[in-house]
Amino acid sequence: MSDTDGKKTLGLRGGGARPGNVKQSFSHGRTKNVVVETKRKRVVVPKPGTGKTGTGGASIGDPSRRPAGISDAEMERRLKAVQAAKAREVEEAAAREVEEKNRAEERERRRAEIEEKERVEREREESLKAKAEEDARRKQEAEAAAKAAAAPAEEPVVARPVSTKAPEAAPRKQQDRDRDQNNKRGKGNDDNRRSGKLTLNQALAGGEGGRQRSMAAMKRKQERARQKAMGGSVEREKVVREVQLPEAIVVSELANRMAERVGEVVKALMNNGMMLTQNETIDADTAELIIEEFGHKVVRVSDADVEDVIKEIEDDDKDLEPRPPVITIMGHVDHGKTSLLDAIRNAKVVAGEAGGITQHIGAYQVKTEGGQVLSFLDTPGHAAFTSMRSRGAQVTDIVVLVVAADDAVMPQTIEAINHAKAAQVPMIVAINKIDRPAADPTKVRTDLLQHEVIVEQMSGEVQDVEVSAITGQGLDQLLEAIALQAEILELKANPNRAAQGAVIEAQLDVGRGPVATVLVQNGTLRQGDIFVVGEQYGKVRALINDQGERVKEAGPSVPVEVLGLNGTPEAGDVLNVTSTEAQAREIALYRANAAKDKRAAAGAATTLEQLMANAKADENVSELPILVKADVQGSAEAIVQAMEKIGNDEVRVRVLHSGVGAITETDVGLAEASGAPIMGFNVRANASARNTANQKSVEIRYYSVIYDLVDDVKAAASGLLSAEIRENFIGYATIKEVFKVTGVGKVAGCLVTEGVARRSAGVRLLRDNVVIHEGTLKTLKRFKDEVAEVQSGQECGMAFENYDDIRADDVIEIFEREEITRTLT
């Protein structure tokens, strides 16, 4: 139907007009209409509440006038949606205008900054160039003046005006500046500077020009520009560096140490015929060639240089202070070494020892009645502890050689003398057990002469004292002799430096972990110090003296127990204090790797002949594998050395594993896999290890005396020896005649010429003194009777087992074989 303006009011179907299609509003009289554009045609929607369409339309509530299917509420909702959409569109348009304005301002700001930076740079370069030109002009004027002065006086000297080019300089500079600015604004910018909006790809890629130049490259560019402005290209002076070169080095690390580009180093390697990358390793000789090619100096270093931080420091005489002497007690087994020390210390040490010998090195400090402090080391006397006794001599100042007056010089006494001489330390002979009726000190002094030990009573220089550990006789004289010898030596040390000491003994304690008995030789060891000892390192958690008391520090010649190690060191290792834990760890790691390489090299066959020889030797040698666990490191080492001495070309003892501490399940598992017994020296197996050993039938033996352990292993190894077969010749017989007997074969009629012929014995048939048969007798008859033996001078009949080639005048040799059980000595 038509409205008052002649326009048709169309009904809205389905979704009606969309809010986004609202175009405008117009008015006819009092009524405002909303024009809605659909996909096909424009629709004029009347404003609700007017009651008419246009100026003379009908009421919206009238069904005849209202669009079909649209209620008042729906009509009102749609009109509100249209108005909201129009308001939102206006807000978005305003926001876009603000954003465009901000972007334009940002672009202008960036462009202004770039132009300002370029202007400053250009002015700086122009000033440098002008300065260079001015310097060149002045130089030329000076040369011209010098030439004019040297010319004849009648020739007038025309001075060059200073401001000849000055009027033209400013306009030319202004023209160049204008031309450069125009070029920068144009599209043909040579520097390809960024302009406009910065995109995400450009930001991630480092800008339009790719990767940004480094600061070093920018400095090099500025330096080249400055040299060029100064009027010439000056070559940069070559910096010669000292390059530290280890045994092997990575190519990139070599370039870094030379301060050269990696690409140049790789190129140099390729020129020498080596196609390598920057991540590959080259040897020291190749690296030295490259370093010399680049003009640097080579400083060869090795992995062992890490130990340079613990090199000994020479102390000044003014820093040295007197220190107590270290005395080592040496001698043969049961000659009373520990009893003598016990008498000096007034403590019953010997009562708790098994078998009457000292199983471990003991370190004690004793204060005499005169106030002098003495440090004593007590070493075992058994031959298996040779290495421990040797370590005792290395850290000692004075050796007290204990010899029993009723036993004189014995093998271990000779060993102690040799160790003392090797250590080049003075010796004092203590003739012990002087209270016994069989004591003969003169015989002791005489026997010592055979080993170049001449005592004072024999007109020598070695002090000798007759003592008795039981009655205390001569102890004061012994201490006086020690004090006199120490005074002659003038023992001094510097306590105000990093500590250095020797490990006397080390063990693995259940509650405290690895514990080392250390004798401090120089400096002062304090709680909290970081140290390296052998292949181990650690930090001092606690120091315990010989009385079991905790101390804060230990000076020279003081023995202490050190707690805080990461592992059990070897007895005899040197302890050094380092400044940092990293240094200690690095040194320990280097030593561990070096020891591993040394062990691998010692057990490796380097040639094919050695490999074949070792394989052939292993085939002919029987091995007795064992596992050794001891309470301290020194005992374990001594037992292993004793085991290595057991055996011969046929049998040997192989120690699969030796360690410190209790026997564990791991030890039982290794013993079961290898079929070896476990030897425990002063240690026991824990509960789980005992149960596992019972289930897997692994033998565990406990020992407290080293003699018993060595003897048992030697007896077990002797069982692997093959029995020795010995032949005893018991008689000879000569064949007189050969008879053929039915059912028996050939029978020799013989005369026993020597010894006796036995039926059970072995026989050999000799023809012209050549053995042609060896076997046993089938029959031995005297007349018609079978007999067990026939005496010399009697005749008998003999038949050989499975052999008939017998002739008259052949000789029969009769012998018996005897098996003799062999033992290791």
Side-chain angles (χ1 to χ4, degrees):
M1 60 183 296
S2 299
D3 58 4
T4 57
D5 294 328
K7 294 184 180 289
K8 293 182 180 180
T9 304
L10 302 178
L12 302 177
R13 296 180 183 229
R18 298 182 181 177
N21 297 332
V22 176
K23 299 300 290 182
Q24 62 182 356
S25 299
F26 59 93
S27 174
H28 291 280
R30 294 174 298 172
T31 306
K32 290 185 178 180
N33 298 328
V34 179
V35 179
V36 181
E37 284 189 358
T38 63
K39 292 183 179 180
R40 295 183 179 180
K41 56 187 70 176
R42 299 172 75 244
V43 180
V44 180
V45 181
K47 182 178 180 181
T50 59
K52 291 184 180 181
T53 303
T55 57
S59 174
I60 294 177
D62 188 358
S64 61
R65 297 292 185 179
R66 190 183 319 140
I70 302 298
S71 63
D72 293 341
E74 179 66 18
M75 194 67 182
E76 179 122 4
R77 186 185 64 77
R78 292 184 180 183
L79 289 175
K80 288 182 179 180
V82 169
Q83 294 172 0
K86 181 180 179 181
R88 190 163 51 250
E89 184 178 2
V90 173
E91 292 176 358
E92 290 178 354
R96 282 196 297 272
E97 290 178 1
V98 173
E99 186 177 358
E100 288 295 334
K101 185 178 179 181
N102 292 338
R103 288 181 180 176
E105 292 177 355
E106 181 67 19
R107 284 196 295 270
E108 290 297 330
R109 186 183 62 80
R110 291 183 181 177
R111 187 179 293 109
E113 290 179 356
I114 293 172
E115 290 177 355
E116 180 66 20
K117 185 183 294 184
E118 292 174 354
R119 185 184 62 79
V120 173
E121 183 68 19
R122 187 166 56 253
E123 289 180 355
R124 191 180 67 82
E125 292 178 357
E126 289 175 354
S127 63
L128 291 175
K129 186 175 180 181
K131 184 178 179 182
E133 292 177 354
E134 182 69 18
D135 293 341
R137 185 183 59 75
R138 290 181 179 177
K139 185 177 180 181
Q140 291 176 0
E141 290 178 356
E143 292 176 355
K147 291 180 181 180
E154 61 271 7
E155 295 183 4
V157 178
V158 180
R160 190 174 183 179
V162 177
S163 61
T164 303
K165 294 185 179 181
E168 300 178 1
R172 183 173 299 176
K173 291 181 180 179
Q174 185 64 32
Q175 293 173 4
D176 294 341
R177 187 182 301 112
D178 295 339
R179 184 175 60 256
D180 291 341
Q181 289 180 357
N182 293 332
N183 292 336
K184 298 294 183 182
R185 294 192 187 99
K187 295 183 179 179
N189 188 4
D190 295 336
D191 291 344
N192 197 18
R193 296 287 184 177
R194 288 191 312 224
S195 62
K197 183 168 61 176
L198 178 64
T199 64
L200 181 61
N201 292 333
Q202 292 173 355
L204 294 178
E208 296 176 0
R211 187 175 59 182
Q212 295 293 326
R213 305 185 71 175
S214 64
M215 184 63 67
M218 294 296 294
K219 289 182 178 179
R220 288 194 296 268
K221 181 181 177 182
Q222 293 176 1
E223 180 68 18
R224 287 195 298 269
R226 187 183 66 81
Q227 292 175 357
K228 186 176 180 180
M230 293 295 293
S233 59
V234 181
E235 292 293 333
R236 186 180 58 174
E237 184 180 355
K238 180 72 174 180
V239 179
V240 179
R241 292 178 171 82
E242 291 186 353
V243 181
Q244 292 187 351
L245 183 61
E247 297 299 328
I249 189 171
V250 181
V251 175
S252 58
E253 178 62 21
L254 176 62
N256 186 27
R257 294 189 181 187
M258 293 191 299
E260 302 287 350
R261 295 178 179 175
V262 179
E264 296 295 331
V265 178
V266 173
K267 183 178 179 181
L269 288 170
M270 290 183 178
N271 292 336
N272 286 275
M274 289 171 285
M275 302 300 175
L276 301 174
T277 64
Q278 63 176 352
N279 297 323
E280 295 188 56
T281 305
I282 58 177
D283 59 288
D285 296 333
T286 304
E288 184 174 358
L289 293 176
I290 300 301
I291 294 171
E292 292 176 352
E293 183 175 339
F294 279 90
H296 299 290
K297 295 181 181 180
V298 179
V299 179
R300 286 290 190 109
V301 296
S302 64
D303 295 338
D305 292 340
V306 298
E307 298 197 25
D308 291 343
V309 297
I310 58 173
K311 284 185 177 179
E312 291 192 11
I313 304 172
E314 295 294 334
D315 296 317
D316 295 336
D317 294 339
K318 59 182 180 180
D319 297 331
L320 300 180
E321 298 179 7
R323 65 173 178 85
V326 179
I327 303 98
T328 300
I329 308 293
M330 290 187 175
H332 191 70
V333 179
D334 294 335
H335 276 200
K337 303 183 300 298
T338 308
S339 299
L340 182 62
L341 183 60
D342 169 55
I344 296 174
R345 297 176 60 233
N346 293 324
K348 298 299 180 182
V349 177
V350 79
E353 295 182 358
I357 68 169
T358 306
Q359 301 294 341
H360 315 145
I361 289 183
Y364 316 102
Q365 207 164 32
V366 176
K367 191 171 184 179
T368 62
E369 295 180 356
Q372 189 173 9
V373 178
L374 307 177
S375 297
F376 282 92
L377 298 183
D378 184 18
T379 60
H382 192 268
F385 290 85
T386 301
S387 60
M388 297 171 64
R389 189 161 53 244
S390 174
R391 285 193 298 271
Q394 288 172 359
V395 299
T396 189
D397 301 315
I398 302 171
V399 170
V400 174
L401 181 64
V402 179
V403 186
D406 59 345
D407 202 9
V409 176
M410 299 301 288
Q412 279 73 41
T413 309
I414 300 172
E415 290 181 5
I417 293 172
N418 295 333
H419 288 310
K421 289 182 178 179
Q424 297 180 354
V425 293
M427 186 186 310
I428 298 175
V429 177
I431 305 176
N432 195 19
K433 302 182 181 180
I434 196 67
D435 56 317
R436 291 194 176 184
D440 189 358
T442 305
K443 183 177 182 302
V444 173
R445 298 185 178 97
T446 306
D447 290 348
L448 289 174
L449 292 174
Q450 303 176 8
H451 306 286
E452 300 179 0
V453 178
I454 306 173
V455 299
E456 290 180 342
Q457 290 198 11
M458 306 292 289
S459 302
E461 297 180 354
V462 179
Q463 300 183 72
D464 63 315
V465 182
E466 297 180 2
V467 297
S468 173
I470 304 298
T471 62
Q473 175 184 349
L475 293 182
D476 294 337
Q477 289 83 353
L478 178 61
L479 294 177
E480 288 179 5
I482 294 173
L484 177 62
Q485 189 66 57
E487 186 177 352
I488 295 174
L489 293 176
E490 296 183 355
L491 301 173
K492 293 183 178 180
N494 180 14
N496 302 317
R497 53 162 291 180
Q500 178 182 350
V503 176
I504 304 301
E505 192 49 83
Q507 60 181 339
L508 185 64
D509 193 279
V510 176
R512 301 183 296 172
V515 180
T517 302
V518 177
L519 178 68
V520 181
Q521 296 174 297
N522 212 342
T524 302
L525 184 63
R526 296 179 175 85
Q527 186 173 347
D529 284 347
I530 299 171
F531 62 89
V532 58
V533 49
E535 302 174 21
Q536 313 297 332
Y537 70 96
K539 183 177 182 180
V540 179
R541 286 196 291 110
L543 296 174
I544 302 174
N545 62 8
D546 58 325
Q547 304 295 328
E549 302 170 349
R550 283 205 171 198
V551 294
K552 293 294 183 182
E553 60 182 27
S557 302
V558 177
V560 287
E561 279 189 339
V562 178
L563 280 69
L565 293 104
N566 70 326
T568 307
E570 299 288 337
D573 287 342
V574 178
L575 180 143
N576 294 96
V577 173
T578 60
S579 57
T580 62
E581 186 177 355
Q583 290 179 350
R585 187 187 303 109
E586 189 177 6
I587 296 171
L589 180 61
Y590 161 72
R591 290 177 176 176
N593 293 335
K596 187 189 301 181
D597 295 341
K598 186 177 180 180
R599 288 192 295 266
T606 56
T607 63
L608 183 61
E609 289 77 8
Q610 291 178 354
L611 186 63
M612 298 297 293
N614 292 343
K616 186 176 181 180
D618 291 340
E619 291 179 358
N620 300 327
V621 176
S622 299
E623 288 186 345
L624 174 64
I626 63 171
L627 270 78
V628 176
K629 293 300 287 290
D631 55 343
V632 294
Q633 190 68 38
S635 298
E637 183 181 349
I639 292 171
V640 171
Q641 291 183 357
M643 296 299 103
E644 291 175 352
K645 296 179 181 179
I646 298 175
N648 52 22
D649 295 339
E650 299 179 31
V651 177
R652 66 186 177 195
V653 178
R654 180 184 177 192
V655 180
L656 297 176
H657 171 69
S658 64
V660 177
I663 300 171
T664 62
E665 269 188 280
T666 305
D667 300 326
V668 175
L670 178 59
E672 186 220 357
S674 308
I678 301 176
M679 306 295 180
F681 185 75
N682 284 339
V683 294
R684 295 293 182 268
N686 54 35
S688 59
R690 288 196 300 269
N691 297 335
T692 306
N694 293 332
Q695 293 173 4
K696 298 182 178 181
S697 301
V698 175
E699 182 181 11
I700 301 177
R701 294 192 178 187
Y702 300 119
Y703 299 92
S704 57
V705 179
I706 196 171
Y707 309 135
D708 299 338
L709 190 151
V710 174
D711 292 343
D712 283 0
V713 174
K714 190 178 295 185
S718 300
L720 299 177
L721 290 172
S722 58
E724 181 181 356
I725 305 300
R726 184 176 298 175
E727 292 184 354
N728 297 324
F729 297 98
I730 60 175
Y732 288 91
T734 303
I735 299 177
K736 298 296 184 181
E737 197 69 39
V738 179
F739 305 95
K740 288 186 178 181
V741 178
T742 304
V744 178
K746 290 185 177 181
V747 177
C750 306
L751 174 65
V752 180
T753 58
E754 182 180 345
V756 61
R758 288 196 178 93
R759 169 71 178 79
S760 59
V763 292
R764 291 190 182 94
L765 183 62
L766 307 181
R767 185 174 295 165
D768 297 331
N769 292 325
V770 177
V771 178
I772 61 174
H773 175 69
E774 180 178 343
T776 57
L777 291 176
K778 181 167 58 176
T779 180
L780 177 64
K781 290 189 176 183
R782 173 77 176 152
F783 298 108
K784 292 184 179 182
D785 299 328
E786 190 77 24
V787 294
E789 64 179 30
V790 177
Q791 297 295 328
S792 175
Q794 297 179 353
E795 294 182 346
C796 61
M798 296 184 187
F800 292 90
E801 192 76 40
N802 300 325
Y803 191 77
D804 288 339
D805 184 16
I806 54 177
R807 303 175 187 177
D809 296 330
D810 287 348
V811 177
I812 299 174
E813 185 181 70
I814 304 112
F815 63 90
E816 289 182 342
R817 288 190 174 92
E818 179 184 4
E819 288 190 358
I820 300 176
T821 303
R822 299 163 61 197
T823 58
L824 292 172
T825 57

